[in-house]
Structures are given as structure tokens and as C-alpha cells.
Amino acid sequence: MTEQPNANPQQPGDPAGDRLAPRPLARPAVDPAQAATFGRPRGVDGAFDKLYQPGTNGQPAPGLNLAPPTPESLAEAFRRPPGAEGVVLERPHGTNGSGPSSDGAEEPLWTTTSDPWRDPGSGAVLAGPAVQQDTEEEKQAKRPQGALLSLPEVLFGRRVQTKALAMLAAVALVIGAVGGLIGWWFADTGTELTGQASISESDAAKERPAGSIADIAHRVAPTVVSLEVFKPGADAGQQGSGVVIDNQGYVLTNEHVISAATADAATKVTAVFFDGKRVEAKVVGADAKTDLAVVKVDVKNLTALQVGKSSDLAVGDSVIAVGSPLALQNSVTAGIVSALNRPVTAGGDGGSAPVIYEAIQTDAAINHGNSGGALVDATGALVGINSAIRSSSAEGGSIGIGFAIPSDYAVKIAKTLIKDGKVVHPDIGINASSTVAGSSTMGAQVRNVAPGGPAASAGIKEGDVITEVGGRLVRDSAELLVAVRAREVGEVVPVRLVRDGSSLVVDVKLASD
């Protein structure tokens, strides 16, 4: 039998002979240039850190070849001179290397054209750049100016013909127009509630002819004032209106507007004019029976309202109310004369006697604060003093029934107050009441006769029904009172009355109240 060679030859140090020998180490050839760059320095074996291990006496480790010492000429050229101060080698800042520094230091060792000491391969510099930097103006001057390009050349790089560019513009316009029409259609038909309104505007100026309400309001406004009645320290006061009837400062108003001032001397009255001027007003006189009063203000160059004749009014005539309703100064409302010679009973609050007067009825809106204001006709003349309203609510708002004291009577009372400070009224000397419904005779029935008075002297008795005074019809007790006050004290007037079904006329000489 032939003997086979051993498949696992025994290796040195391997008695069992069961391990493989290492493969030969592949050592590629090394480029001499790379070996010179990355290899160990000559004479150095082992790791690189051995290069930096210090030797004895501060000398390098053995085997390290150091560079030879710097020649004395170079060391003297590049070092700072011994003991010298202010000598620098770097380029002075701010001079750009073009000359001496501003602080008087010596010139640098190089200039903008010569720098013999700088290593061209070095990436670092001592101070500023070695090459001079040009200013922005110099850069612009050095930059060559080329030919200017047109819009097609900029947009299309000179590759689009003029015809193609025109066609492109036309297509863009068509697309924009179609898009605009579609948007307009959607906006116009998108909803039934929106759309484009065609509003007709007038270019003509407003017409304010003479005699118009605007013209009258403009002329009357300076003559109507707002009256504020208050007591210093009080929480509230009274407010109303007044009319300047004389350029000396006399203002006509209602007695109930300034009643607090007549009752208490500490209460002050302030007149507020249409231009905002505020002045104190003094009470000249007041008459509670006619609800008229006069106050005076110390103001120069006042404008007085012209006084018309209320007796010339007719039902249906246009009238304008001017005053300060609810403290709203210079308010103007317009209406017509609804009735004339309307007996009105007002007041009587707080136990005071009611006020009865013959009034002009108007539908011009009158509210609280209008009292004492002006009622003027279509010419702007004063025909009444606004005094009272008829209201269906507790607040007393206007329902189109207002009353004004006729100017003929109001001015007459005002003149007496200005002259004497008080007014006396004619009196017939009886107490009367209106006849009840269903009576055979309509008038004022006598309830009692004052002994020795005008009625007693004329033979008027209790139970008589007075139907006329001085030819004026009397239908109730209010009309009897206003008919008597329309006369003068001491005047003899015929009085028609009904007694026991018979009518008779007696002459009565009116006395003072």
C-alpha cells in the first residue's frame, strides 16, 4: 500500500500539526513621491511622537535632524530693533499701503507695487490685503459698458421673431378679455340681491328762496334763546325757551319756565344763544294768570324778532315753531294753524291756580322745552309764544296738538311787565262753571256773585247763564274768562244772559282783579 502525504503538515511550534500557516503578506509597491511626503523622516524609526520627546538639557531626541539656525542676516532683517519703540512691520491701517501713516510712523517696508518680503504661496497676511482694493467708482469705471439689450432680447434671448412676439401679445389680450367678461358675468348674475345700481344724482344746488322754511329758520335762529333755570347745588332745574323782542335785551317767555326763579331769589336764569354764548338773565316781571314773563340779558347788538299781528292769521296758514325741545337747542318744526281763539286751560299743578288763555292751535311739533319759544308765520314774524300741548301719554310727547299765546296779547302783557313789573286784569266779580250737557242753554252759569262787585252792581244773580260778553260768544266758563280779560279795566261791556228761560242784556263796568 502506498503511503499518502500528510494533508496538514506540522508547523514549527505546533506539535499537533493541525493549524494552517499564514498566507504570504501582500505588500504593494509604494510611490516614492508619496513616501517622501507621508513617510517618516530619515533616521526616525517607530512612532512619530518620538520626534517630540525631549532629550537631555532641553535638546531634541536623538535621531531628529533639526533645521540649521537662522542666519544672522535674516534674523537682523526681520526682528524688531533692540530698544526701538513705535517701529512696526505691518501695513498701517487706513493708508492701504500707499504712503506714510497719518500718525507719523515710519513708512512700511512694502508698497502697492512692490512686496519683496511676502511669500507668494502664503495664505495669510500681516494686516490688509497685499493687493490694493479698488473703490466702487473705480470698479464702475473699469467695467466695460456693453450694448443695451431690448425687451425681446432680455426675455427670449434674441430667439423670437417680431411677428411671433406680436401674436403672443394678441393672444394674451384675448385671454385677459375673455377672463374679464366671464368674471363680470358671474358678478352680475351670481345672485338676485346684488348687482350694479344706477343711482341718479342731482348736480343742481339746493333752492332756498326768500320765504322758505330754511330762510325763515336762518333769520329767526339768532332771536330765540334757550333758558336754563337752576339753583346752585341742586341736582336738576327747569329748561325752556325765550324770544328776544327788544334789542335792549328783553326776552319774552312763559311764566312757568322761570317760576322757580320768581319763587326763590337764589335760583339763577341763564340764557344760551344760538352761537353758544351764555349770559345771566334777570327776571323783569312775571304774570301767572297769563303764563307770560319777561327776563333781561346784558348783551350788546342783540337781534330782536319782528312782531307780527296774530289777528291777521287764518286757519290753514303756515307757521313755524322754533325753540329748544327736550334741551335740543335751535330746533325748528313746521305746520299750520289748526284753530284760532281756542280757550286753553293749563297748569294747576301743585295746588296752583290753573292758567286760562285764548290760544292759537297748531300741528307744528311742540314738546317740553319749546315753552316760551317763537311761533312765526310765513314771513318770519312773531305771531305766538308756544305754551302748551295736548298729549295722550304721561310723558307729554307731541301728538300734533300744540297751543301758543297770540302775539297781540303776549306783547301787550310784556310791555306792561317791562313798564310796571306786574299786570292787573279786568274782572267781572263772579265765579262760574260751564253748563252741563243736555242743558237748554250753553254758556257759563253763575255760581256766586261777589258782593259789591261789577256783576252785583249790574244785577247779575246766581243761576244766570252768561252767553255773550261784548258781542263774543261764551260757551263755557273758560271762554267767559278770556272774553273778560280781552277788555280793559274800567271798560263798560254789554253782557247777554239767560234767566228763567228769558234772555236779557246788562251793562257791566269791569273792575281790577
Side-chain angles (χ1 to χ4, degrees):
M1 184 172 193
T2 304
E3 182 178 358
Q4 298 294 328
N6 188 2
N8 296 317
Q10 184 176 3
Q11 298 294 326
D14 183 15
D18 57 352
R19 289 192 304 173
L20 294 176
R23 295 181 181 180
L25 182 63
R27 294 179 179 272
V30 179
D31 185 16
Q34 293 185 0
T37 303
F38 298 99
R40 295 186 181 89
R42 293 180 181 181
V44 177
D45 295 329
F48 280 94
D49 60 350
K50 293 182 179 180
L51 295 173
Y52 303 98
Q53 294 179 359
T56 59
N57 299 325
Q59 298 297 323
L64 181 61
N65 296 326
L66 298 177
T70 304
E72 183 63 25
S73 60
L74 294 179
E76 182 180 0
F78 288 95
R79 71 186 174 207
R80 190 185 302 275
E85 295 297 335
V87 177
V88 295
L89 298 179
E90 65 181 16
R91 181 183 307 219
H93 292 283
T95 64
N96 201 19
S98 60
S101 62
S102 60
D103 56 0
E106 67 179 16
E107 295 185 2
L109 300 178
W110 59 85
T111 65
T112 58
T113 58
S114 176
D115 187 2
W117 307 111
R118 184 172 182 274
D119 183 3
S122 174
V125 295
L126 293 177
V131 180
Q132 178 183 2
Q133 296 295 317
D134 296 333
T135 63
E136 194 65 28
E137 292 76 7
E138 293 173 344
K139 291 180 180 179
Q140 293 294 336
K142 293 179 180 180
R143 184 176 302 164
Q145 297 293 335
L148 299 179
L149 300 178
S150 63
L151 180 61
E153 291 173 341
V154 173
L155 295 178
F156 308 107
R158 304 185 183 182
R159 296 185 180 183
V160 179
Q161 296 180 356
T162 305
K163 293 182 179 180
L165 184 61
M167 293 180 63
L168 180 62
V171 171
L173 290 176
V174 171
I175 294 175
V178 172
L181 290 175
I182 294 175
W184 171 84
W185 182 82
F186 274 107
D188 188 59
T189 61
T191 174
E192 297 179 356
L193 299 179
T194 59
Q196 185 175 3
S198 299
I199 300 176
S200 178
E201 298 182 359
S202 174
D203 295 332
K206 294 293 184 181
E207 294 185 1
R208 299 184 180 92
S212 64
I213 294 178
D215 174 66
I216 294 172
H218 178 72
R219 290 189 284 111
V220 173
T223 67
V224 179
V225 300
S226 177
L227 296 179
E228 298 176 355
V229 183
F230 63 96
K231 183 177 182 179
D235 295 334
Q238 294 174 287
Q239 189 271 335
S241 305
V243 181
V244 179
I245 58 173
D246 185 271
N247 55 16
Q248 297 182 46
Y250 292 108
V251 178
L252 178 59
T253 184
N254 286 137
E255 188 275 339
H256 73 264
V257 172
I258 54 96
S259 59
T262 59
D264 186 357
T267 302
K268 305 297 181 181
V269 180
T270 301
V272 184
F273 288 81
F274 81 108
D275 59 356
K277 181 186 298 184
R278 303 172 63 90
V279 296
E280 184 179 0
K282 300 292 186 179
V283 177
V284 177
D287 182 39
K289 291 184 178 180
T290 58
D291 195 21
L292 290 169
V294 175
V295 297
K296 188 176 183 181
V297 295
D298 186 11
V299 178
K300 304 298 182 182
N301 301 321
L302 275 178
T303 300
L305 183 59
Q306 293 182 341
V307 179
K309 291 185 177 182
S310 58
S311 58
D312 292 340
L313 287 175
V315 175
D317 283 348
S318 297
V319 288
I320 301 171
V322 184
S324 303
L326 305 177
L328 302 174
Q329 300 178 10
N330 307 117
S331 296
V332 178
T333 56
I336 63 170
V337 175
S338 302
L340 295 170
N341 304 320
R342 178 79 74 188
V344 173
T345 301
D349 300 329
S352 61
V355 179
I356 301 174
Y357 53 86
E358 191 175 43
I360 301 170
Q361 181 180 330
T362 178
D363 65 348
I366 297 175
N367 290 280
H368 295 297
N370 271 117
S371 296
L375 185 72
V376 299
D377 60 13
T379 67
L382 180 68
V383 292
I385 299 297
N386 301 320
S387 301
I389 60 173
R390 189 67 56 84
S391 179
S392 60
S393 62
E395 290 78 9
S398 174
I399 59 173
I401 302 177
F403 304 101
I405 302 174
S407 61
D408 294 349
Y409 186 65
V411 171
K412 175 185 174 182
I413 299 297
K415 288 180 178 180
T416 304
L417 290 174
I418 294 172
K419 179 183 177 181
D420 302 327
K422 62 179 182 178
V423 178
V424 293
H425 303 281
D427 184 61
I428 197 173
I430 63 172
N431 289 327
S433 62
S434 302
T435 55
V436 297
S439 301
S440 58
T441 304
M442 180 181 294
Q445 189 173 24
V446 179
R447 293 302 183 185
N448 54 67
V449 181
S457 301
I460 297 177
K461 300 180 180 180
E462 293 181 5
D464 292 344
V465 178
I466 299 175
T467 58
E468 288 184 13
V469 174
R472 174 174 175 171
L473 182 64
V474 175
R475 289 166 292 191
D476 52 31
S477 59
E479 287 192 346
L480 172 62
L481 182 60
V482 297
V484 171
R485 286 183 178 173
R487 301 290 176 166
E488 299 292 337
V489 176
E491 183 180 357
V492 177
V493 296
V495 177
R496 181 178 294 276
L497 53 87
V498 176
R499 181 184 297 168
D500 298 332
S502 300
S503 177
L504 66 151
V505 177
V506 296
D507 292 331
V508 179
K509 184 178 181 180
L510 301 179
S512 172
D513 59 354

